[in-house]
Amino acid sequence: MSPLVRYALRRLAALVPVLLGVTVLVFLIMHLAPGDPAQIILGPKATEESLARLRHELGLDQPLVVQYLRWLGNVLAGNWGRSLQLKREVLPLVLQRFGATALLTVGSTVLAVVLGLAAGVVSATRQYSLADRAGMLLALVGFCLPVFWLGIVLQILFGLRWPILPVSGMNSPNTTGVLDTLAHMVLPSLTLATGAAAVIGRMTRSSLVEVIRQEFITTARAKGLPERAVIYRHALRNALIPVITVVGMQVGYLLSGAVMVEMVFSWPGIGLLMVNGIQARDFPLVQGAVLLVASSYVLVNLVVDLLYAVVDPRIRYG
């Protein structure tokens, strides 16, 4: 077994306590928060007898430890429970909605990486120029802009003032084409990617400037290599290692930030589903959605760690 495979297996085993901690935390927050799911389901006119009967059917009259262990055992057996609000199985429901969130996150990540790398390379190779200062100023502004504010501004500009892009939903009515979905993705992806692109741009500039000053870059230039080859073949590859770490962290930020963006743009993803579930005190739905998002986040970080060896062959996993 190769060191990389052993390292991946060890990391996968280390994810188990992390995910268990997430389930305990979410379970406690949901069950200790005020509000009675039985009361929400039956309405304000429900009698005490009907409320007690429904709590018993849902298992809400059991101690918290019993409820948690029963839920966890069912999850491990593949039964994620049934939504109290939507009356549907949780696992297929969250997987269906997670597909929309994953599409938005992937689109935002690609946009953030392209914009961030381009801005970082231009700034690093033209230090203290007007392009450098303008790029870093835009990165600072992009990092500080609140997601919900930027989303609303883009909706006003491109939906009302210049109505050229759709401002809500994932598809137009009675339309399922790829181009229509891509058109709906533009504004929410741009909203979500702006902050991440700013962080990636600043990190790319900082890392690339440091690498450019090293001796092997001076040697490459002394050999007469074209400047483009020196930057993109030698300097940028070595500068990408800290950038990959930042990109992995930004994917987690984009996943969590998608909740706010989905509310602003009515994007039918798992974030919007969780918000509705929290308002309805839908325990199985919220716990299943959080578990799926947390699992995705830790797996993304594992992939980022494994990518180090691809980018930098000097790294070995013993």
Side-chain angles (χ1 to χ4, degrees), residues 40-59:
I40 294 175
I41 293 173
L42 297 179
K45 296 182 180 179
T47 63
E48 284 300 324
E49 291 76 12
S50 60
L51 289 172
R53 186 166 54 250
L54 182 57
R55 291 191 192 106
H56 179 71
E57 292 174 359
L58 298 176

Side-chain angles (χ1 to χ4, degrees), residues 110-275:
V110 172
L111 192 59
V113 170
V114 171
L115 294 177
L117 283 180
V121 171
V122 169
S123 294
T125 53
R126 296 171 174 78
Q127 288 183 68
Y128 311 119
S129 67
L130 181 60
D132 179 23
R133 296 178 191 280
M136 291 303 100
L137 179 61
L138 286 175
L140 181 61
V141 173
F143 180 74
C144 296
L145 287 178
V147 169
F148 67 92
W149 181 87
L150 179 60
I152 293 173
V153 169
L154 291 178
Q155 284 180 322
I156 293 173
L157 290 178
F158 297 100
L160 297 177
R161 188 172 182 83
W162 305 297
I164 56 177
L165 287 170
V167 296
S168 66
M170 189 172 173
N171 292 103
S172 302
N174 304 320
T175 305
T176 57
V178 175
L179 292 179
D180 184 64
T181 302
L182 290 176
H184 281 76
M185 283 180 62
V186 173
L187 294 184
S189 296
L190 185 59
T191 302
L192 200 53
T194 299
V199 175
I200 294 171
R202 294 183 71 85
M203 175 55 71
T204 302
R205 181 191 184 278
S206 173
S207 179
L208 191 55
V209 165
E210 184 177 344
V211 172
I212 287 175
R213 292 171 179 169
Q214 293 185 12
E215 291 183 357
F216 75 95
I217 296 297
T218 305
T219 304
R221 284 172 172 159
K223 289 180 178 178
L225 288 177
E227 185 65 16
R228 182 179 293 272
V230 172
I231 296 299
Y232 291 99
R233 190 184 305 167
H234 297 282
L236 185 57
R237 179 168 183 171
N238 287 277
L240 279 180
I241 295 176
V243 176
I244 289 176
T245 304
V246 170
V247 170
M249 295 173 64
Q250 291 305 306
V251 172
Y253 159 77
L254 294 174
L255 270 173
S256 58
V259 175
M260 187 67 72
V261 173
E262 288 174 6
M263 291 181 63
V264 173
F265 290 94
S266 299
W267 187 265
I270 200 168
L272 194 57
L273 186 70
M274 277 197 291
V275 171

Side-chain angles (χ1 to χ4, degrees), residues 1 25 64 67 83 87 98-99 106 123 192-193 195 242 271 294 313:
M1 186 180 295
L25 190 61
L64 279 182
Q67 292 184 49
S83 167
K87 311 297 182 188
F98 187 72
V106 170
S123 294
L192 200 53

